[in-house]
Amino acid sequence: MSFFKKLKEKLTTSTDSIPVKFKDGLVKTREQFSSKINDLVARYRTVDEDFFEELENILIQADVGFETVMELVDELKTEVKRRNMKDPADIQPVISEKLIEIYESGEENLSSLNIQEDGLTVILFVGVNGVGKTTTIGKLAHQFREEGKKILLAAGDTFRAGAIEQLEAWGERVGVDVIKQAAGSDPAAVMYDALQAAKARKADILLCDTAGRLQNKVNLMKELGKIKRVIEREIPGAPHEVLLVLDATTGQNALIQAKTFKEATDVSGIVLSKLDGTAKGGIVLAIRKELNIPVKFVGLGEKIDDLQPFDPEKYIYGLFSDAIEKAQE
């Protein structure tokens, strides 16, 4: 049975059925990525060096990342030789299989969050302005509320005009209280107040917004360090997650931002917003491979439930859904 057939059967019989959100959310990437691979396969009668060179270019254009592309193509060459594959059409399922292997790197449950069974879980959100941090917090608060958890939000982005009001609007929308101070206040002081409120109200999860003025990089990183120290002092072992929100439409620039934040704080996971808005969805793989940070969530649309836990198999399904749905034994 081919890999496509196995993947199709696995996803069809899973609890949430065929992952429609990933299929719909990756339309732009699939149109560019899969159509170019289909065209490549149609033009070649055999798998040779020219075929692999064109494949490299397609993968790089999809922002899969140079290191990942080189590793993938080397593994494909080995696999083609081992299986004595001649027909280019046979290589599509192998590309999918290898992409999943590269992403997972032998690890499991990469998208799961470090939620504390007893006591308060503190999740700190970082990222530059405009990437969708506040929206991500609001959507995640909604998910947790749906699970029956008691949530509080901390308005730690005290400098950007309208940031506190934006978080408050999300709080009202999803039925969650926001702990805030006046605009321009010390973000660390806001976090202290939020931690005290979360403990007093016996909240399950505290979601903390922060500023993102990368033009003042040194000051921003100092500010994040101060916030982190306040959290650690009040809740030993916290923050339990530091989630870096990146805008997928910025491609390689998102990777540069990720490297900057990784140097300054212990980023435990990535939230890749606006993945539905880019044709370069391969950035998921580049981030994972080059930074060794898992993508925990992806934004696949504007709706409140379009923030989805990242699943590499559903992601591959989104990239190759047309071929996978046609798969036969």
Side-chain angles (χ1 to χ4, degrees), residues 8 14 18 29 56 70 80 85 89-90 110 119 130 132 136 138 184 190 194 216-217 222 255 288-289 314:
K8 180 182 176 183
S14 68
I18 286 287
T29 297
E56 282 179 10
M70 294 301 105
V80 165
M85 295 169 68
D90 294 335
L110 289 168
T136 296
V190 176
N216 298 321
K217 178 181 163 185
K222 282 182 180 177
L255 194 61
R288 171 65 180 150
K289 182 64 182 173
K314 292 177 183 176

PDB file of all heavy atoms in Angstrom, residues 8 14 18 29 56 70 80 85 89-90 110 119 130 132 136 138 184 190 194 216-217 222 255 288-289 314:
ATOM      1  N   LYS A   8      -4.267   8.565   3.741  1.00  0.00           N
ATOM      2  CA  LYS A   8      -5.681   8.824   3.492  1.00  0.00           C
ATOM      3  C   LYS A   8      -6.555   8.000   4.436  1.00  0.00           C
ATOM      4  O   LYS A   8      -7.491   8.517   5.054  1.00  0.00           O
ATOM      5  CB  LYS A   8      -6.017   8.498   2.042  1.00  0.00           C
ATOM      6  CG  LYS A   8      -7.483   8.737   1.677  1.00  0.00           C
ATOM      7  CD  LYS A   8      -7.726   8.334   0.241  1.00  0.00           C
ATOM      8  CE  LYS A   8      -9.197   8.479  -0.128  1.00  0.00           C
ATOM      9  NZ  LYS A   8      -9.480   8.020  -1.508  1.00  0.00           N
ATOM     10  N   SER A  14      -9.739   8.874  11.521  1.00  0.00           N
ATOM     11  CA  SER A  14      -9.436   9.577  12.768  1.00  0.00           C
ATOM     12  C   SER A  14     -10.701  10.237  13.314  1.00  0.00           C
ATOM     13  O   SER A  14     -11.705  10.348  12.632  1.00  0.00           O
ATOM     14  CB  SER A  14      -8.342  10.632  12.552  1.00  0.00           C
ATOM     15  OG  SER A  14      -8.826  11.668  11.738  1.00  0.00           O
ATOM     16  N   ILE A  18     -11.534  13.622   7.763  1.00  0.00           N
ATOM     17  CA  ILE A  18     -10.565  14.264   6.869  1.00  0.00           C
ATOM     18  C   ILE A  18     -10.317  15.694   7.345  1.00  0.00           C
ATOM     19  O   ILE A  18     -11.257  16.440   7.614  1.00  0.00           O
ATOM     20  CB  ILE A  18     -11.096  14.264   5.424  1.00  0.00           C
ATOM     21  CG1 ILE A  18     -11.004  12.857   4.812  1.00  0.00           C
ATOM     22  CG2 ILE A  18     -10.334  15.244   4.575  1.00  0.00           C
ATOM     23  CD1 ILE A  18      -9.624  12.398   4.460  1.00  0.00           C
ATOM     24  N   THR A  29      -0.739  27.588  -0.898  1.00  0.00           N
ATOM     25  CA  THR A  29       0.518  26.842  -0.982  1.00  0.00           C
ATOM     26  C   THR A  29       0.362  25.644  -1.917  1.00  0.00           C
ATOM     27  O   THR A  29       1.254  25.360  -2.730  1.00  0.00           O
ATOM     28  CB  THR A  29       0.953  26.357   0.411  1.00  0.00           C
ATOM     29  OG1 THR A  29       1.210  27.490   1.237  1.00  0.00           O
ATOM     30  CG2 THR A  29       2.231  25.532   0.329  1.00  0.00           C
ATOM     31  N   GLU A  56      14.486  20.751  -6.232  1.00  0.00           N
ATOM     32  CA  GLU A  56      15.127  21.618  -5.230  1.00  0.00           C
ATOM     33  C   GLU A  56      14.604  23.043  -5.347  1.00  0.00           C
ATOM     34  O   GLU A  56      14.261  23.674  -4.349  1.00  0.00           O
ATOM     35  CB  GLU A  56      16.652  21.619  -5.431  1.00  0.00           C
ATOM     36  CG  GLU A  56      17.363  20.396  -4.906  1.00  0.00           C
ATOM     37  CD  GLU A  56      18.858  20.462  -5.178  1.00  0.00           C
ATOM     38  OE1 GLU A  56      19.357  21.540  -5.598  1.00  0.00           O
ATOM     39  OE2 GLU A  56      19.547  19.434  -4.974  1.00  0.00           O
ATOM     40  N   MET A  70      18.071  20.369   1.066  1.00  0.00           N
ATOM     41  CA  MET A  70      19.248  19.551   0.770  1.00  0.00           C
ATOM     42  C   MET A  70      19.140  18.174   1.425  1.00  0.00           C
ATOM     43  O   MET A  70      19.452  17.149   0.819  1.00  0.00           O
ATOM     44  CB  MET A  70      20.532  20.262   1.252  1.00  0.00           C
ATOM     45  CG  MET A  70      20.853  21.539   0.504  1.00  0.00           C
ATOM     46  SD  MET A  70      21.073  21.297  -1.291  1.00  0.00           S
ATOM     47  CE  MET A  70      19.532  21.971  -1.921  1.00  0.00           C
ATOM     48  N   VAL A  80      15.225   6.513  -3.971  1.00  0.00           N
ATOM     49  CA  VAL A  80      14.994   6.190  -5.384  1.00  0.00           C
ATOM     50  C   VAL A  80      15.932   5.074  -5.834  1.00  0.00           C
ATOM     51  O   VAL A  80      15.524   4.132  -6.532  1.00  0.00           O
ATOM     52  CB  VAL A  80      15.175   7.446  -6.259  1.00  0.00           C
ATOM     53  CG1 VAL A  80      15.315   7.086  -7.729  1.00  0.00           C
ATOM     54  CG2 VAL A  80      13.998   8.394  -6.066  1.00  0.00           C
ATOM     55  N   MET A  85      13.454   3.149  -8.328  1.00  0.00           N
ATOM     56  CA  MET A  85      12.313   3.884  -8.880  1.00  0.00           C
ATOM     57  C   MET A  85      12.723   4.579 -10.173  1.00  0.00           C
ATOM     58  O   MET A  85      13.742   5.263 -10.216  1.00  0.00           O
ATOM     59  CB  MET A  85      11.802   4.912  -7.863  1.00  0.00           C
ATOM     60  CG  MET A  85      11.238   4.296  -6.603  1.00  0.00           C
ATOM     61  SD  MET A  85      10.941   5.533  -5.299  1.00  0.00           S
ATOM     62  CE  MET A  85       9.604   6.457  -6.029  1.00  0.00           C
ATOM     63  N   ALA A  89       6.313   9.834 -11.256  1.00  0.00           N
ATOM     64  CA  ALA A  89       5.026   9.868 -10.560  1.00  0.00           C
ATOM     65  C   ALA A  89       5.082   9.130  -9.228  1.00  0.00           C
ATOM     66  O   ALA A  89       4.320   9.436  -8.305  1.00  0.00           O
ATOM     67  CB  ALA A  89       3.936   9.265 -11.438  1.00  0.00           C
ATOM     68  N   ASP A  90       5.988   8.173  -9.125  1.00  0.00           N
ATOM     69  CA  ASP A  90       6.096   7.374  -7.894  1.00  0.00           C
ATOM     70  C   ASP A  90       6.782   8.131  -6.761  1.00  0.00           C
ATOM     71  O   ASP A  90       6.780   7.672  -5.620  1.00  0.00           O
ATOM     72  CB  ASP A  90       6.866   6.073  -8.165  1.00  0.00           C
ATOM     73  CG  ASP A  90       6.114   5.145  -9.105  1.00  0.00           C
ATOM     74  OD1 ASP A  90       4.876   5.264  -9.163  1.00  0.00           O
ATOM     75  OD2 ASP A  90       6.762   4.321  -9.785  1.00  0.00           O
ATOM     76  N   LEU A 110       4.536  16.737  19.393  1.00  0.00           N
ATOM     77  CA  LEU A 110       5.246  18.010  19.328  1.00  0.00           C
ATOM     78  C   LEU A 110       4.337  19.215  19.521  1.00  0.00           C
ATOM     79  O   LEU A 110       4.774  20.265  19.981  1.00  0.00           O
ATOM     80  CB  LEU A 110       5.980  18.124  17.986  1.00  0.00           C
ATOM     81  CG  LEU A 110       7.191  17.197  17.815  1.00  0.00           C
ATOM     82  CD1 LEU A 110       7.649  17.176  16.368  1.00  0.00           C
ATOM     83  CD2 LEU A 110       8.328  17.618  18.720  1.00  0.00           C
ATOM     84  N   GLY A 119      -2.805  23.250  39.639  1.00  0.00           N
ATOM     85  CA  GLY A 119      -2.278  24.607  39.743  1.00  0.00           C
ATOM     86  C   GLY A 119      -2.360  25.368  38.434  1.00  0.00           C
ATOM     87  O   GLY A 119      -2.918  24.907  37.434  1.00  0.00           O
ATOM     88  N   GLY A 130       1.934  43.208  14.889  1.00  0.00           N
ATOM     89  CA  GLY A 130       1.306  42.958  13.600  1.00  0.00           C
ATOM     90  C   GLY A 130       1.258  41.509  13.156  1.00  0.00           C
ATOM     91  O   GLY A 130       0.719  41.207  12.086  1.00  0.00           O
ATOM     92  N   GLY A 132      -0.258  39.026  14.773  1.00  0.00           N
ATOM     93  CA  GLY A 132      -1.481  38.351  15.181  1.00  0.00           C
ATOM     94  C   GLY A 132      -1.432  37.760  16.577  1.00  0.00           C
ATOM     95  O   GLY A 132      -2.161  36.821  16.885  1.00  0.00           O
ATOM     96  N   THR A 136      -4.391  35.556  18.295  1.00  0.00           N
ATOM     97  CA  THR A 136      -4.032  34.187  18.677  1.00  0.00           C
ATOM     98  C   THR A 136      -4.422  33.910  20.126  1.00  0.00           C
ATOM     99  O   THR A 136      -4.992  32.857  20.445  1.00  0.00           O
ATOM    100  CB  THR A 136      -2.514  33.954  18.491  1.00  0.00           C
ATOM    101  OG1 THR A 136      -2.196  34.069  17.095  1.00  0.00           O
ATOM    102  CG2 THR A 136      -2.089  32.587  18.995  1.00  0.00           C
ATOM    103  N   GLY A 138      -6.744  35.408  21.880  1.00  0.00           N
ATOM    104  CA  GLY A 138      -8.202  35.346  21.961  1.00  0.00           C
ATOM    105  C   GLY A 138      -8.750  34.005  21.490  1.00  0.00           C
ATOM    106  O   GLY A 138      -9.618  33.402  22.141  1.00  0.00           O
ATOM    107  N   GLY A 184       0.981  52.504  28.827  1.00  0.00           N
ATOM    108  CA  GLY A 184       2.299  53.012  29.197  1.00  0.00           C
ATOM    109  C   GLY A 184       2.830  52.482  30.512  1.00  0.00           C
ATOM    110  O   GLY A 184       3.944  52.801  30.914  1.00  0.00           O
ATOM    111  N   VAL A 190       2.131  44.676  35.324  1.00  0.00           N
ATOM    112  CA  VAL A 190       0.865  44.090  34.865  1.00  0.00           C
ATOM    113  C   VAL A 190       0.889  42.580  35.086  1.00  0.00           C
ATOM    114  O   VAL A 190      -0.091  41.986  35.557  1.00  0.00           O
ATOM    115  CB  VAL A 190       0.619  44.402  33.370  1.00  0.00           C
ATOM    116  CG1 VAL A 190      -0.647  43.707  32.876  1.00  0.00           C
ATOM    117  CG2 VAL A 190       0.525  45.903  33.147  1.00  0.00           C
ATOM    118  N   ALA A 194      -1.551  40.265  37.315  1.00  0.00           N
ATOM    119  CA  ALA A 194      -2.279  39.166  36.670  1.00  0.00           C
ATOM    120  C   ALA A 194      -2.026  37.841  37.386  1.00  0.00           C
ATOM    121  O   ALA A 194      -2.943  37.032  37.568  1.00  0.00           O
ATOM    122  CB  ALA A 194      -1.879  39.061  35.204  1.00  0.00           C
ATOM    123  N   ASN A 216      13.226  48.448  18.669  1.00  0.00           N
ATOM    124  CA  ASN A 216      13.978  48.676  19.913  1.00  0.00           C
ATOM    125  C   ASN A 216      14.376  47.315  20.491  1.00  0.00           C
ATOM    126  O   ASN A 216      14.014  46.964  21.599  1.00  0.00           O
ATOM    127  CB  ASN A 216      13.115  49.425  20.937  1.00  0.00           C
ATOM    128  CG  ASN A 216      12.714  50.791  20.422  1.00  0.00           C
ATOM    129  OD1 ASN A 216      13.503  51.464  19.783  1.00  0.00           O
ATOM    130  ND2 ASN A 216      11.479  51.193  20.687  1.00  0.00           N
ATOM    131  N   LYS A 217      15.119  46.580  19.680  1.00  0.00           N
ATOM    132  CA  LYS A 217      15.388  45.174  19.989  1.00  0.00           C
ATOM    133  C   LYS A 217      15.972  44.962  21.381  1.00  0.00           C
ATOM    134  O   LYS A 217      15.493  44.116  22.138  1.00  0.00           O
ATOM    135  CB  LYS A 217      16.328  44.600  18.919  1.00  0.00           C
ATOM    136  CG  LYS A 217      16.737  43.157  19.134  1.00  0.00           C
ATOM    137  CD  LYS A 217      17.679  42.724  18.019  1.00  0.00           C
ATOM    138  CE  LYS A 217      18.420  41.470  18.404  1.00  0.00           C
ATOM    139  NZ  LYS A 217      19.422  41.095  17.396  1.00  0.00           N
ATOM    140  N   LYS A 222      15.155  43.055  26.912  1.00  0.00           N
ATOM    141  CA  LYS A 222      15.312  43.306  28.358  1.00  0.00           C
ATOM    142  C   LYS A 222      13.955  43.253  29.050  1.00  0.00           C
ATOM    143  O   LYS A 222      13.821  42.710  30.145  1.00  0.00           O
ATOM    144  CB  LYS A 222      15.962  44.684  28.588  1.00  0.00           C
ATOM    145  CG  LYS A 222      17.469  44.710  28.366  1.00  0.00           C
ATOM    146  CD  LYS A 222      18.009  46.103  28.668  1.00  0.00           C
ATOM    147  CE  LYS A 222      19.516  46.155  28.445  1.00  0.00           C
ATOM    148  NZ  LYS A 222      20.029  47.527  28.662  1.00  0.00           N
ATOM    149  N   LEU A 255      11.499  33.556   9.815  1.00  0.00           N
ATOM    150  CA  LEU A 255      12.602  32.725  10.316  1.00  0.00           C
ATOM    151  C   LEU A 255      13.654  33.593  11.011  1.00  0.00           C
ATOM    152  O   LEU A 255      14.190  33.229  12.065  1.00  0.00           O
ATOM    153  CB  LEU A 255      13.230  31.957   9.145  1.00  0.00           C
ATOM    154  CG  LEU A 255      14.170  30.807   9.477  1.00  0.00           C
ATOM    155  CD1 LEU A 255      13.471  29.723  10.268  1.00  0.00           C
ATOM    156  CD2 LEU A 255      14.759  30.226   8.198  1.00  0.00           C
ATOM    157  N   ARG A 288      11.103  24.399  11.819  1.00  0.00           N
ATOM    158  CA  ARG A 288      11.340  23.185  12.608  1.00  0.00           C
ATOM    159  C   ARG A 288      12.775  22.690  12.435  1.00  0.00           C
ATOM    160  O   ARG A 288      13.453  22.353  13.405  1.00  0.00           O
ATOM    161  CB  ARG A 288      10.336  22.098  12.194  1.00  0.00           C
ATOM    162  CG  ARG A 288      10.604  20.718  12.773  1.00  0.00           C
ATOM    163  CD  ARG A 288      10.446  20.717  14.266  1.00  0.00           C
ATOM    164  NE  ARG A 288      10.691  19.396  14.818  1.00  0.00           N
ATOM    165  CZ  ARG A 288      11.176  19.171  16.024  1.00  0.00           C
ATOM    166  NH1 ARG A 288      11.499  20.184  16.813  1.00  0.00           N
ATOM    167  NH2 ARG A 288      11.348  17.954  16.464  1.00  0.00           N
ATOM    168  N   LYS A 289      13.239  22.663  11.191  1.00  0.00           N
ATOM    169  CA  LYS A 289      14.556  22.085  10.904  1.00  0.00           C
ATOM    170  C   LYS A 289      15.689  23.003  11.356  1.00  0.00           C
ATOM    171  O   LYS A 289      16.650  22.561  11.978  1.00  0.00           O
ATOM    172  CB  LYS A 289      14.673  21.808   9.401  1.00  0.00           C
ATOM    173  CG  LYS A 289      15.979  21.159   8.984  1.00  0.00           C
ATOM    174  CD  LYS A 289      16.128  19.786   9.595  1.00  0.00           C
ATOM    175  CE  LYS A 289      17.464  19.161   9.225  1.00  0.00           C
ATOM    176  NZ  LYS A 289      17.687  17.900   9.944  1.00  0.00           N
ATOM    177  N   LYS A 314      -1.605  16.046   8.824  1.00  0.00           N
ATOM    178  CA  LYS A 314      -2.673  16.870   8.250  1.00  0.00           C
ATOM    179  C   LYS A 314      -2.093  17.962   7.344  1.00  0.00           C
ATOM    180  O   LYS A 314      -2.691  18.336   6.328  1.00  0.00           O
ATOM    181  CB  LYS A 314      -3.505  17.495   9.373  1.00  0.00           C
ATOM    182  CG  LYS A 314      -4.326  16.470  10.161  1.00  0.00           C
ATOM    183  CD  LYS A 314      -5.066  17.156  11.303  1.00  0.00           C
ATOM    184  CE  LYS A 314      -5.828  16.128  12.143  1.00  0.00           C
ATOM    185  NZ  LYS A 314      -6.485  16.752  13.308  1.00  0.00           N
TER     186      LYS A 314
END
